[in-house]
Amino acid sequence: MTARIIDGKAEAAVLRGKIAAAVAQLKAAHGVTPGLAVVLVGQNPASEVYVKSKSKAVVEAGMRPFDHKLPETTSETDLLALIAKLNADSAVNGVLVQLPLPPQIDSAKVIAAIDPNKDVDGFHPVNVGRLSSGLPSLVPCTPFGCVLLAKTVHSSLAGMEAVVVGRSNIVGKPVAQLLLAENATVTIAHSRTKDLPSVCRRADILVAAIGKPEMVQPDWIKPGATVIDVGINRVAGEGGKSKIVGDVSANAAQVAGVLTPVPGGVGPMTIACLILNTLRAACMQRGLPEPKI
Ligand code: NDP
């Protein structure tokens, strides 16, 4: 068997096209242009790349970007003051603070300071609680993208065995909650899980969010399973150049039925879901119905 590879770039482009159309409609019908504020503190090169592509996607969707670049030495007090200002600004519908933050700033405090209705990253404890209570909420973008990709393959995830390897607040736990909300039977595995390969082999849908290059081996995968690889790992490539690989072995394609590639799988969907969350937030804040995407 050779797995079908899901083209995350193409899926994200389709999604972004639909979002742009919904934004145009929102502008025409209600005079509302959704706005996303992205706050970057310091000069982490990876964060700078992410922030640039987020702002580009915002503009392409017809939304308004509000970019704030703060120096590495920014105090927690100053960052919290900026967040309070963005919370109060009705032109700003979404607030995203790029993580990681410099050591003098408490990330948990910053996340908790964002208005939950503008929390387009879905990390605020109120949104975490709403998601696990099955209430409508803004949900974390990467997990949202994983589930949307799985749903491009399976019209319903109900009753499927899903195994999520990883239990971080950013990926593992929320992806598990979203799969549960889709009525999958969900197992969360982590570094203390016993006999991880056999737990993984149970999965009709296997989500790898570990951060360990190519850790998931072909014989961990049930033949025909859908494998969503969230991992982004930089490793040494040919000719001294580095390359990006996922958490799943390249040979998994011989066993899986469907596989998301790295790069070009979950990554592009993450940004598209951020834009979708900004649109959803703008509608929620105006008391308008959830956009049909
Ligand atoms: P974390 O380091 O926060 O979490 C990793 C998880 O993997 C932990 O729950 C850990 O278990 C588990 N784990 C680590 N080693 C093992 C092991 N040997 N066996 C089983 N489980 C293990 O990472 P993130 O969740 O933030 O990210 C995961 C990956 O996804 C990374 O490669 C990251 O770069 C990528 N990522 C990709 C995004 C995208 O847009 N595509 C966005 C965000 C992340 P324990 O809790 O027991 O320590």
Side-chain angles (χ1 to χ4, degrees):
M1 174 179 286
T2 303
R4 190 183 122 205
I5 305 296
I6 305 183
D7 185 345
K9 253 184 164 170
E11 294 295 342
V14 170
L15 179 56
R16 282 161 60 169
K18 289 183 186 170
I19 297 166
V23 168
Q25 212 176 2
L26 187 67
K27 270 188 209 175
H30 302 281
V32 174
T33 302
L36 174 66
V38 177
V39 182
L40 174 63
V41 184
Q43 286 168 332
N44 178 324
S47 294
E48 284 189 341
V49 172
Y50 290 140
V51 164
K52 237 188 213 160
S53 25
K54 284 170 187 173
S55 301
K56 189 167 163 262
V58 166
V59 173
E60 281 172 9
M63 299 181 178
R64 286 177 71 189
F66 298 90
D67 291 346
H68 294 267
K69 258 188 114 173
L70 307 181
E72 184 81 34
T73 51
T74 301
S75 69
E76 187 178 278
T77 311
D78 285 352
L79 180 57
L80 292 174
L82 172 62
I83 290 170
K85 229 173 93 187
L86 297 171
N87 284 344
D89 185 344
S90 62
V92 173
N93 302 108
V95 177
L96 180 151
V97 178
Q98 185 65 44
L99 302 176
L101 289 166
Q104 73 275 16
I105 301 176
D106 179 347
S107 304
K109 223 170 168 179
V110 169
I111 290 168
I114 297 171
D115 178 346
N117 295 316
K118 297 189 176 187
D119 168 40
V120 284
D121 253 343
F123 296 158
H124 193 289
V126 165
N127 284 320
V128 175
R130 291 183 71 87
L131 174 60
S132 60
S133 305
L135 295 169
S137 62
L138 290 166
V139 300
C141 303
T142 299
F144 194 4
C146 291
V147 173
L148 290 182
L149 284 181
K151 287 176 80 176
T152 63
V153 183
H154 305 282
S155 53
S156 166
L157 308 184
M160 294 182 86
E161 284 280 346
V163 173
V164 179
V165 190
R167 57 174 166 179
S168 72
N169 292 334
I170 291 174
V171 189
K173 282 182 199 150
V175 88
Q177 287 292 350
L178 288 170
L179 289 165
L180 191 59
E182 294 289 337
N183 299 313
T185 302
V186 184
T187 302
I188 305 177
H190 46 77
S191 67
R192 309 284 183 91
T193 296
K194 285 186 185 149
D195 195 2
L196 184 59
S198 74
V199 173
C200 291
R201 270 193 295 272
R202 294 210 301 258
D204 302 311
I205 298 181
L206 178 61
V207 180
I210 313 164
K212 296 263 160 37
E214 304 200 89
M215 185 175 128
V216 175
Q217 294 301 304
D219 65 351
W220 297 20
I221 297 169
K222 181 184 193 174
T226 295
V227 179
I228 311 281
D229 189 352
V230 185
I232 300 178
N233 307 290
R234 192 169 284 281
V235 296
E238 278 167 30
K241 278 193 177 165
S242 68
K243 62 171 184 171
I244 303 281
V245 299
D247 287 343
V248 178
S249 159
N251 296 327
Q254 292 159 16
V255 185
V258 180
L259 188 61
T260 64
V262 177
V266 173
M269 287 298 282
T270 297
I271 291 187
C273 288
L274 170 67
I275 306 303
L276 179 52
N277 273 348
T278 306
L279 172 62
R280 294 179 62 224
C283 293
M284 273 171 10
Q285 287 157 30
R286 295 266 185 329
L288 297 169
E290 178 93 2
K292 288 207 167 49
I293 299 289

